[in-house]
Structures are given as C-alpha cells and as structure tokens.
Amino acid sequence: MEEQRAAAGRRPTARAGALLTRVLPSAALLAAAGLLLAAPPNDHFGLLVAVVPFLAAAVHGVQATAVIGALSVAVFAALRQWRTEDEPEVAVIKLALVSAAAAVAVLISQGRSREQRLNRARDIALALQEGLLPQAIPRSSAVDVCHRYVPTDAEAGVGGDWFDVIRLSGARVALVMGDVVGHGVHAAATMGRLRTAVRTLADLDLAPDEVLARMDDLAEQLDEDGSHGLGATCLYLVYDPVSGVCTLASAGHTPPALLRPDGTVDFPQLVEHPPLGMGGTPFTATELALAEGTVIALYTDGLLDLRHRTADAALAAVGRALGPPGASLQQLCDRVYAEAPADSDDDVAVMLARVKSIPGDRVATWRLPADPRSAGTARSAVAERLAAWGLEEAQFTTELVVSELVTNAVRHATAPITLRLIRDDTLICEVSDGSTNAPHMRLARLTDEGGRGLYLVGRLADRWGTRYTGTGKTIWVEQAL
C-alpha cells in the first residue's frame, strides 16, 4: 500500500518534469529574444538564439525542431534588422550562423529519431525472440541438456537462431537447432513461425526426414516473393533411450559433434541437403547408435566463424573444446561457447545433451496373437509386471487401457500385435499393430453398445496419441506416477 502511494506521488512529479522539459526550448527562445532586445545594439548576445534549436533537437522530434529552428532564425533576423549597428556583411554572417545552427539541429534530431526507431526495433525483436525461445527445458529421462545463447548486439537487432527440446512419445526426445539468416524483427518473426511449425510436426510423431520435408514446404510458402531468400537451416534429431538409437536429418545446418564416453570426438557424416525453402528436396535421415553418456553438441554457424577460418579448423576447435568426457555438462557448454569470436556480428547458440538410457528391467514387451483372448492375456501380464514394479495403484487404470487398446487391435487391425510397458517418470503403455488406420475418438449415443473405449482412455490418460512406423502404427498412453 505504501509503495502504491509513493508511486502515485511520483507520477505528478514525473509529469511536471516532462512538461518542463518540453517547454524548455520555447522558454529559452523567449529569454533569448528578451536579452536581444535589452542588450546594446552592437553586442553579440543575440547569437544565444543559436542555442535554442539544439535544445529543441534534444527534446522534440524533427518537425518540432524544424519549426523552433525557423522561429529562432526569424526572431534573430527581425530583432537585429532595426537595432543593429553592424556592417551588412557582419549581420549576414551572424544570420547565416543562426541559420546553420537551426539546420544542424534538424540533422541532429533526425539522427536521434532514427536511433530511437532502431532501438525500438531491436528491443521488439529481442523481446520477440526471448518470448519464442524455450523459457525452461523440460525434464527428460532421455537426456540432460545445457545450453548457451546470447544474441548479437548488432545495430539492426537480433537474429533468428533458435533451439528446442521436445518430449515425444515412448520416452523419446527431439532436439532441434535452427538458424534464420538476418537480423531484426523479420528474422525473429520467421524464427517463431518455423519453431511453432517444428513443435506442431513433432507432436505428430513424424520422422526427422519427414519433419524437414514439411518444413521445407512451409519455408517455401513463407518466401512470398519467390526469391528463395529465406536462408533458414535446421537440424532435427530424435533420440530413443530404450534402443539407444539417434535418428537425425539436416537441412543445410552445421554438423553435430559427438563426444563419446571414451573421450573421442567425431562429427557424423550426414547426407547434405540445401537450406529450407528450396522446395522439392527429398531429405534423408541418418541413424546412429549412441552409448549411454555420449554428449551431443548442436550449434549454429556463428560459433564456427567461417569468414575468418576454414571449416576444418573451426570443427577441430569445437572438438578440442569438448575436451575430456568427465567434465560436467555446464563446463563443456561453457568451453564450447567460448570458441565464439568476441567481435562476431552473428548470433551464437549452443546446446549440449548427454544421453541416458532406460534400463531393460524397466521395459516389458509382449507379442500377442490376433485372438480375442489376447486382451485377457495382456491384462494378466500387465498386472504381474506392475506388481513387480511396485505400481499396484496403477493396475486398475492400466488394465482398462490395455484391454481397450488390445481389443481394438485384434478387431480392427492386423498382426503383428505388440504390447510394451515403459516405467519412466510416467507409466507408458504402447500397443503396436500392422495397420495404418488411425483410431478416432467419437461421442457414443446412449443406445450404442460400443464406441466409448477411446473416450475412456483419453479421460484416464495424461497424454495419448498415435505414431506411425514402417510396419504400421503405435497407440501410446501416458499416466503420471
């Protein structure tokens, strides 16, 4: 309450100060005119009028400064015309001096207005970029993540670098690193649109090459003038902590670095593709087997500073910065980020992820025949496994979910049918089959005998969805523990 009163008391004072500052040039002009009238005709105090336009330039905009400057010239000319004893040449020189002061003040006001516009654009772009970048990295049992990002302080504003960590189904995680060429609000806005599109496509559980293919189509649409000048690169990576397989694809982005547990650093050879927006590019994904503890380093091209050194030298410096594998993730991230040039005019983003694996005793898998009795078999197997994990309180809900999903697979899908349970920070239940027909939740009528199963699954689960594989589809359900 006292702070509110103090703030209310400060407002009139601030308004009074602002008003006094605004009227200062006009008051100075009146004072200079009075001094011009009161001073002896042959003195030079009248030249104080030349100071008035500079006061206006420090306070007002270009138009107000021009008006006050013109008034200053007019006042000096009118009052000195009938009171001066100077020679005509001296009077002209004095008048020219006042006129030049008014013109310079207008130029100063123009520069000040331009600087304000640039600062405003930079602040807007920076706020936009900070708002679009992830405010908090989600916790995941698949990876530990550390990142560094400081936008360049270029005159035009910030750039379009972005990164993201997205939780996927099946305890998997997606790591994204992208870069939009350019600076300012346009680059930040384009970055935001691309990042939103990546998250939307990731929610569909698409493969990395498919994600980039759709991103390429979107970037081509964003290039409205058809000049292919978007200049956006992206690297999309999916890591599965159950299998230890990392699948990644790149669209013109810098290659990732891998710090193996034995201390070796390598840069996997990915299939090279052009940046996003070229259109019609078939992307290819690369699969890598990663041992637990491997560190994945993603970064933008601002770290490499390729304008002042070769690509091989830049990558070798990144490899040396990753250093020994025993260092903490924060130390490694700081060392890699320190490789960025101090005078760079490009953004530098670095994200390091140390992969983890889910132990085999926390994953259970069953192959089920396409038989109506498979639902009962699945319920019994799930109940036994949950009891072994000490999760008896989740037994009723999980049995209901498993029964519904397995029954649907037996009735409407094709073999092979696979049931998998994963004990992570959530309890994950997956049922896979050989069909690509997606299930649809519908609202059953009172007289319908069926059609309520997926609705119940959706109400019991924290998250659920469908992802497609090369052999069919997988319906997954997550329950909080």
Side-chain angles (χ1 to χ4, degrees):
M1 202 65 173
E2 294 179 357
E3 294 180 356
Q4 294 178 352
R5 293 196 192 98
R10 286 194 296 268
R11 291 193 195 102
T13 304
R15 285 195 294 266
L19 180 61
L20 180 61
T21 303
R22 303 286 293 181
V23 302
L24 180 61
S26 300
L29 180 59
L30 293 176
L35 182 61
L36 187 60
L37 288 172
N42 59 348
D43 64 15
H44 301 286
F45 291 115
L47 293 178
L48 291 175
V49 176
V51 179
V52 175
F54 293 104
L55 294 176
V59 177
H60 297 293
V62 177
Q63 295 180 351
T65 301
V67 170
I68 294 176
L71 288 176
S72 301
V73 175
V75 167
F76 183 83
L79 295 181
R80 295 294 291 186
Q81 183 178 5
W82 56 274
R83 300 189 71 248
T84 183
E85 295 179 358
D86 293 332
E87 295 294 332
E89 295 82 0
V90 177
V92 171
I93 291 174
K94 291 182 178 180
L95 182 61
L97 180 61
V98 176
S99 301
V104 171
V106 172
L107 295 178
I108 293 175
S109 180
Q110 289 178 341
R112 177 171 162 268
S113 298
R114 182 174 181 273
E115 182 183 8
Q116 289 177 341
R117 290 195 300 269
L118 289 176
N119 289 338
R120 190 179 302 112
R122 182 186 62 186
D123 293 341
I124 292 174
L126 184 58
L128 178 62
Q129 190 173 35
E130 289 179 347
L132 293 172
L133 289 174
Q135 302 301 310
I137 299 298
R139 295 183 59 185
S140 170
S141 60
V143 291
D144 291 327
V145 177
C146 182
H147 61 86
R148 297 288 184 270
Y149 173 72
V150 176
T152 180
D153 196 17
E155 181 181 346
V158 298
D161 290 11
W162 93 90
F163 58 89
D164 212 342
V165 180
I166 308 171
R167 290 190 60 168
L168 302 178
S169 62
R172 299 170 304 137
V173 65
L175 305 178
V176 189
M177 181 68 74
D179 186 3
V180 177
V181 175
H183 300 282
V185 177
H186 177 72
T190 303
M191 175 271 290
R193 298 168 76 177
L194 293 178
R195 177 175 179 263
T196 302
V198 168
R199 295 192 69 90
T200 302
L201 295 173
D203 193 54
L204 298 176
D205 257 323
L206 300 177
D209 53 336
E210 182 67 18
V211 169
L212 291 186
R214 300 199 183 189
M215 288 287 293
D216 186 53
D217 295 337
L218 174 63
E220 189 177 15
Q221 297 174 17
L222 294 179
D223 188 20
E224 298 175 354
D225 59 358
S227 63
H228 296 292
L230 184 63
T233 66
C234 183
L235 189 147
Y236 188 84
L237 179 153
V238 175
Y239 173 69
D240 186 349
V242 176
S243 63
V245 174
C246 170
T247 308
L248 65 163
S250 173
H253 200 77
T254 51
L258 299 179
L259 172 62
R260 306 287 184 176
D262 60 1
T264 59
V265 177
D266 62 278
F267 297 85
Q269 295 296 322
L270 307 182
V271 180
E272 296 185 0
H273 297 293
L276 299 174
M278 297 301 176
T281 302
F283 291 90
T284 303
T286 301
E287 287 191 358
L288 303 172
L290 302 182
E292 184 174 10
T294 300
V295 175
I296 305 172
L298 306 180
Y299 46 89
T300 55
D301 58 357
L303 178 71
L304 302 181
D305 191 27
L306 297 179
R307 288 175 296 180
H308 300 94
R309 55 181 175 177
T310 64
D312 291 339
L315 294 179
V318 173
R320 289 191 300 269
L322 285 173
S328 69
L329 205 58
Q330 289 75 13
Q331 292 173 335
L332 292 176
C333 198
D334 289 336
R335 287 210 296 259
V336 173
Y337 189 81
E339 291 297 319
D343 56 348
S344 174
D345 59 353
D346 194 7
D347 293 350
V348 178
V350 176
M351 179 169 63
L352 268 60
R354 178 173 278 131
V355 303
K356 299 182 289 185
S357 63
I358 296 180
D361 58 359
R362 292 169 58 183
V363 180
T365 305
W366 299 273
R367 296 292 295 269
L368 302 172
D371 187 288
R373 292 171 294 182
S374 293
T377 303
R379 286 195 300 270
S380 300
V382 166
E384 182 179 352
R385 177 61 61 169
L386 292 180
W389 286 344
L391 299 177
E392 291 85 354
E393 69 277 4
Q395 179 176 335
F396 175 78
T397 301
T398 307
E399 286 185 2
L400 182 60
V401 169
V402 167
S403 179
E404 175 60 30
L405 297 185
V406 172
T407 300
N408 283 347
V410 170
R411 289 181 178 178
H412 308 295
T414 58
I417 300 175
T418 304
L419 169 64
R420 185 169 74 162
L421 282 185
I422 303 174
R423 181 185 177 183
D424 194 19
D425 53 354
T426 61
L427 181 61
I428 304 171
C429 174
E430 297 180 341
V431 174
S432 304
D433 57 61
S435 172
T436 58
N437 294 327
H440 297 284
M441 184 186 298
R442 65 186 182 91
L443 184 62
R445 294 173 298 182
L446 292 176
T447 56
D448 290 343
E449 296 183 0
R452 300 175 178 84
L454 284 181
Y455 175 78
L456 292 175
V457 169
R459 298 296 293 178
L460 294 173
D462 290 276
R463 292 200 315 157
W464 77 283
T466 305
R467 69 172 182 269
Y468 295 92
T469 63
T471 58
K473 69 175 182 297
T474 297
I475 304 177
W476 54 271
V477 177
E478 288 188 9
Q479 304 175 60
L481 296 179

